[in-house]
PDB file of all heavy atoms in Angstrom:
ATOM      1  N   LEU A 407     -42.936  26.648 -12.948  1.00  0.00           N
ATOM      2  CA  LEU A 407     -43.295  25.272 -13.365  1.00  0.00           C
ATOM      3  C   LEU A 407     -44.302  25.319 -14.507  1.00  0.00           C
ATOM      4  O   LEU A 407     -44.269  24.501 -15.442  1.00  0.00           O
ATOM      5  CB  LEU A 407     -43.846  24.491 -12.190  1.00  0.00           C
ATOM      6  CG  LEU A 407     -42.769  24.040 -11.201  1.00  0.00           C
ATOM      7  CD1 LEU A 407     -43.393  23.505  -9.926  1.00  0.00           C
ATOM      8  CD2 LEU A 407     -41.834  22.996 -11.793  1.00  0.00           C
ATOM      9  N   GLU A 408     -45.204  26.299 -14.465  1.00  0.00           N
ATOM     10  CA  GLU A 408     -46.192  26.439 -15.541  1.00  0.00           C
ATOM     11  C   GLU A 408     -45.463  26.630 -16.885  1.00  0.00           C
ATOM     12  O   GLU A 408     -45.834  26.068 -17.888  1.00  0.00           O
ATOM     13  CB  GLU A 408     -47.089  27.598 -15.213  1.00  0.00           C
ATOM     14  CG  GLU A 408     -48.437  27.554 -15.853  1.00  0.00           C
ATOM     15  CD  GLU A 408     -49.321  28.694 -15.347  1.00  0.00           C
ATOM     16  OE1 GLU A 408     -49.221  29.028 -14.141  1.00  0.00           O
ATOM     17  OE2 GLU A 408     -50.070  29.227 -16.161  1.00  0.00           O
ATOM     18  N   GLU A 409     -44.453  27.494 -16.841  1.00  0.00           N
ATOM     19  CA  GLU A 409     -43.651  27.732 -18.042  1.00  0.00           C
ATOM     20  C   GLU A 409     -43.013  26.441 -18.549  1.00  0.00           C
ATOM     21  O   GLU A 409     -43.076  26.075 -19.706  1.00  0.00           O
ATOM     22  CB  GLU A 409     -42.519  28.721 -17.730  1.00  0.00           C
ATOM     23  CG  GLU A 409     -42.947  30.179 -17.805  1.00  0.00           C
ATOM     24  CD  GLU A 409     -43.454  30.527 -19.185  1.00  0.00           C
ATOM     25  OE1 GLU A 409     -42.830  30.175 -20.181  1.00  0.00           O
ATOM     26  OE2 GLU A 409     -44.510  31.169 -19.248  1.00  0.00           O
ATOM     27  N   ILE A 410     -42.346  25.733 -17.605  1.00  0.00           N
ATOM     28  CA  ILE A 410     -41.631  24.508 -17.984  1.00  0.00           C
ATOM     29  C   ILE A 410     -42.597  23.506 -18.578  1.00  0.00           C
ATOM     30  O   ILE A 410     -42.302  22.801 -19.564  1.00  0.00           O
ATOM     31  CB  ILE A 410     -40.877  23.926 -16.761  1.00  0.00           C
ATOM     32  CG1 ILE A 410     -39.842  24.965 -16.273  1.00  0.00           C
ATOM     33  CG2 ILE A 410     -40.205  22.593 -17.120  1.00  0.00           C
ATOM     34  CD1 ILE A 410     -39.218  24.624 -14.948  1.00  0.00           C
ATOM     35  N   TRP A 411     -43.818  23.449 -18.033  1.00  0.00           N
ATOM     36  CA  TRP A 411     -44.783  22.503 -18.576  1.00  0.00           C
ATOM     37  C   TRP A 411     -45.325  22.908 -19.961  1.00  0.00           C
ATOM     38  O   TRP A 411     -45.822  22.052 -20.721  1.00  0.00           O
ATOM     39  CB  TRP A 411     -45.898  22.201 -17.577  1.00  0.00           C
ATOM     40  CG  TRP A 411     -45.657  20.851 -16.965  1.00  0.00           C
ATOM     41  CD1 TRP A 411     -46.366  19.731 -17.176  1.00  0.00           C
ATOM     42  CD2 TRP A 411     -44.569  20.460 -16.098  1.00  0.00           C
ATOM     43  NE1 TRP A 411     -45.802  18.670 -16.537  1.00  0.00           N
ATOM     44  CE2 TRP A 411     -44.692  19.092 -15.863  1.00  0.00           C
ATOM     45  CE3 TRP A 411     -43.471  21.123 -15.525  1.00  0.00           C
ATOM     46  CZ2 TRP A 411     -43.811  18.361 -15.072  1.00  0.00           C
ATOM     47  CZ3 TRP A 411     -42.591  20.420 -14.766  1.00  0.00           C
ATOM     48  CH2 TRP A 411     -42.733  19.061 -14.516  1.00  0.00           C
ATOM     49  N   ARG A 412     -45.143  24.186 -20.350  1.00  0.00           N
ATOM     50  CA  ARG A 412     -45.436  24.562 -21.752  1.00  0.00           C
ATOM     51  C   ARG A 412     -44.486  23.821 -22.637  1.00  0.00           C
ATOM     52  O   ARG A 412     -44.835  23.375 -23.727  1.00  0.00           O
ATOM     53  CB  ARG A 412     -45.246  26.061 -21.930  1.00  0.00           C
ATOM     54  CG  ARG A 412     -46.453  26.887 -21.544  1.00  0.00           C
ATOM     55  CD  ARG A 412     -46.127  28.365 -21.712  1.00  0.00           C
ATOM     56  NE  ARG A 412     -45.786  28.733 -23.056  1.00  0.00           N
ATOM     57  CZ  ARG A 412     -44.960  29.701 -23.413  1.00  0.00           C
ATOM     58  NH1 ARG A 412     -44.380  30.437 -22.490  1.00  0.00           N
ATOM     59  NH2 ARG A 412     -44.705  29.989 -24.677  1.00  0.00           N
ATOM     60  N   PHE A 413     -43.215  23.726 -22.180  1.00  0.00           N
ATOM     61  CA  PHE A 413     -42.235  23.010 -22.986  1.00  0.00           C
ATOM     62  C   PHE A 413     -42.532  21.520 -23.018  1.00  0.00           C
ATOM     63  O   PHE A 413     -42.448  20.866 -24.058  1.00  0.00           O
ATOM     64  CB  PHE A 413     -40.813  23.288 -22.455  1.00  0.00           C
ATOM     65  CG  PHE A 413     -39.721  22.775 -23.334  1.00  0.00           C
ATOM     66  CD1 PHE A 413     -39.487  23.359 -24.562  1.00  0.00           C
ATOM     67  CD2 PHE A 413     -38.928  21.694 -22.962  1.00  0.00           C
ATOM     68  CE1 PHE A 413     -38.481  22.871 -25.416  1.00  0.00           C
ATOM     69  CE2 PHE A 413     -37.956  21.205 -23.796  1.00  0.00           C
ATOM     70  CZ  PHE A 413     -37.736  21.802 -25.036  1.00  0.00           C
ATOM     71  N   VAL A 414     -42.946  20.973 -21.860  1.00  0.00           N
ATOM     72  CA  VAL A 414     -43.294  19.542 -21.811  1.00  0.00           C
ATOM     73  C   VAL A 414     -44.430  19.250 -22.800  1.00  0.00           C
ATOM     74  O   VAL A 414     -44.365  18.285 -23.606  1.00  0.00           O
ATOM     75  CB  VAL A 414     -43.756  19.122 -20.396  1.00  0.00           C
ATOM     76  CG1 VAL A 414     -44.254  17.703 -20.382  1.00  0.00           C
ATOM     77  CG2 VAL A 414     -42.613  19.321 -19.371  1.00  0.00           C
ATOM     78  N   ALA A 415     -45.431  20.129 -22.818  1.00  0.00           N
ATOM     79  CA  ALA A 415     -46.581  19.914 -23.711  1.00  0.00           C
ATOM     80  C   ALA A 415     -46.136  19.963 -25.175  1.00  0.00           C
ATOM     81  O   ALA A 415     -46.549  19.156 -26.004  1.00  0.00           O
ATOM     82  CB  ALA A 415     -47.634  20.998 -23.465  1.00  0.00           C
ATOM     83  N   ARG A 416     -45.197  20.926 -25.467  1.00  0.00           N
ATOM     84  CA  ARG A 416     -44.721  21.030 -26.854  1.00  0.00           C
ATOM     85  C   ARG A 416     -43.924  19.795 -27.229  1.00  0.00           C
ATOM     86  O   ARG A 416     -44.001  19.356 -28.394  1.00  0.00           O
ATOM     87  CB  ARG A 416     -43.841  22.304 -26.965  1.00  0.00           C
ATOM     88  CG  ARG A 416     -43.519  22.685 -28.390  1.00  0.00           C
ATOM     89  CD  ARG A 416     -44.784  23.117 -29.155  1.00  0.00           C
ATOM     90  NE  ARG A 416     -44.624  23.150 -30.588  1.00  0.00           N
ATOM     91  CZ  ARG A 416     -44.722  22.109 -31.436  1.00  0.00           C
ATOM     92  NH1 ARG A 416     -44.954  20.889 -30.927  1.00  0.00           N
ATOM     93  NH2 ARG A 416     -44.591  22.242 -32.714  1.00  0.00           N
ATOM     94  N   CYS A 417     -43.177  19.224 -26.288  1.00  0.00           N
ATOM     95  CA  CYS A 417     -42.403  18.023 -26.598  1.00  0.00           C
ATOM     96  C   CYS A 417     -43.337  16.876 -26.951  1.00  0.00           C
ATOM     97  O   CYS A 417     -43.096  16.133 -27.925  1.00  0.00           O
ATOM     98  CB  CYS A 417     -41.563  17.584 -25.373  1.00  0.00           C
ATOM     99  SG  CYS A 417     -40.208  18.686 -25.040  1.00  0.00           S
ATOM    100  N   ASN A 418     -44.415  16.712 -26.193  1.00  0.00           N
ATOM    101  CA  ASN A 418     -45.377  15.635 -26.478  1.00  0.00           C
ATOM    102  C   ASN A 418     -46.016  15.847 -27.847  1.00  0.00           C
ATOM    103  O   ASN A 418     -46.196  14.887 -28.603  1.00  0.00           O
ATOM    104  CB  ASN A 418     -46.458  15.596 -25.393  1.00  0.00           C
ATOM    105  CG  ASN A 418     -46.010  14.733 -24.220  1.00  0.00           C
ATOM    106  OD1 ASN A 418     -45.506  13.610 -24.397  1.00  0.00           O
ATOM    107  ND2 ASN A 418     -46.153  15.243 -23.013  1.00  0.00           N
ATOM    108  N   LYS A 419     -46.310  17.121 -28.171  1.00  0.00           N
ATOM    109  CA  LYS A 419     -46.904  17.409 -29.462  1.00  0.00           C
ATOM    110  C   LYS A 419     -45.890  17.089 -30.594  1.00  0.00           C
ATOM    111  O   LYS A 419     -46.284  16.584 -31.642  1.00  0.00           O
ATOM    112  CB  LYS A 419     -47.299  18.899 -29.468  1.00  0.00           C
ATOM    113  CG  LYS A 419     -48.192  19.280 -30.582  1.00  0.00           C
ATOM    114  CD  LYS A 419     -48.997  20.553 -30.234  1.00  0.00           C
ATOM    115  CE  LYS A 419     -49.585  21.163 -31.488  1.00  0.00           C
ATOM    116  NZ  LYS A 419     -49.082  22.462 -31.816  1.00  0.00           N
ATOM    117  N   TYR A 420     -44.640  17.407 -30.326  1.00  0.00           N
ATOM    118  CA  TYR A 420     -43.585  17.127 -31.314  1.00  0.00           C
ATOM    119  C   TYR A 420     -43.510  15.643 -31.647  1.00  0.00           C
ATOM    120  O   TYR A 420     -43.375  15.262 -32.819  1.00  0.00           O
ATOM    121  CB  TYR A 420     -42.255  17.634 -30.746  1.00  0.00           C
ATOM    122  CG  TYR A 420     -41.013  17.342 -31.594  1.00  0.00           C
ATOM    123  CD1 TYR A 420     -40.771  18.083 -32.747  1.00  0.00           C
ATOM    124  CD2 TYR A 420     -40.126  16.367 -31.225  1.00  0.00           C
ATOM    125  CE1 TYR A 420     -39.641  17.859 -33.522  1.00  0.00           C
ATOM    126  CE2 TYR A 420     -38.982  16.094 -31.992  1.00  0.00           C
ATOM    127  CZ  TYR A 420     -38.742  16.845 -33.145  1.00  0.00           C
ATOM    128  OH  TYR A 420     -37.640  16.612 -33.926  1.00  0.00           O
ATOM    129  N   VAL A 421     -43.686  14.787 -30.646  1.00  0.00           N
ATOM    130  CA  VAL A 421     -43.666  13.358 -30.902  1.00  0.00           C
ATOM    131  C   VAL A 421     -44.801  12.993 -31.872  1.00  0.00           C
ATOM    132  O   VAL A 421     -44.610  12.284 -32.848  1.00  0.00           O
ATOM    133  CB  VAL A 421     -43.836  12.551 -29.593  1.00  0.00           C
ATOM    134  CG1 VAL A 421     -43.892  11.048 -29.876  1.00  0.00           C
ATOM    135  CG2 VAL A 421     -42.731  12.848 -28.599  1.00  0.00           C
ATOM    136  N   ASP A 422     -45.987  13.519 -31.577  1.00  0.00           N
ATOM    137  CA  ASP A 422     -47.153  13.206 -32.424  1.00  0.00           C
ATOM    138  C   ASP A 422     -46.971  13.729 -33.815  1.00  0.00           C
ATOM    139  O   ASP A 422     -47.280  13.089 -34.829  1.00  0.00           O
ATOM    140  CB  ASP A 422     -48.438  13.759 -31.826  1.00  0.00           C
ATOM    141  CG  ASP A 422     -48.707  13.124 -30.448  1.00  0.00           C
ATOM    142  OD1 ASP A 422     -48.193  12.009 -30.219  1.00  0.00           O
ATOM    143  OD2 ASP A 422     -49.402  13.758 -29.635  1.00  0.00           O
ATOM    144  N   GLU A 423     -46.430  14.997 -33.929  1.00  0.00           N
ATOM    145  CA  GLU A 423     -46.304  15.619 -35.220  1.00  0.00           C
ATOM    146  C   GLU A 423     -45.248  14.916 -36.079  1.00  0.00           C
ATOM    147  O   GLU A 423     -45.417  14.817 -37.304  1.00  0.00           O
ATOM    148  CB  GLU A 423     -45.936  17.111 -35.077  1.00  0.00           C
ATOM    149  CG  GLU A 423     -47.080  17.948 -34.565  1.00  0.00           C
ATOM    150  CD  GLU A 423     -46.609  19.330 -34.106  1.00  0.00           C
ATOM    151  OE1 GLU A 423     -45.406  19.507 -33.891  1.00  0.00           O
ATOM    152  OE2 GLU A 423     -47.467  20.218 -33.958  1.00  0.00           O
TER     153      GLU A 423
END
Side-chain angles (χ1 to χ4, degrees):
L407 286 169
E408 203 173 325
E409 277 299 315
I410 298 168
W411 256 252
R412 275 177 61 209
F413 188 69
V414 174
R416 191 67 196 82
C417 289
N418 274 313
K419 192 157 164 244
Y420 176 76
V421 177
D422 298 336
E423 287 167 344

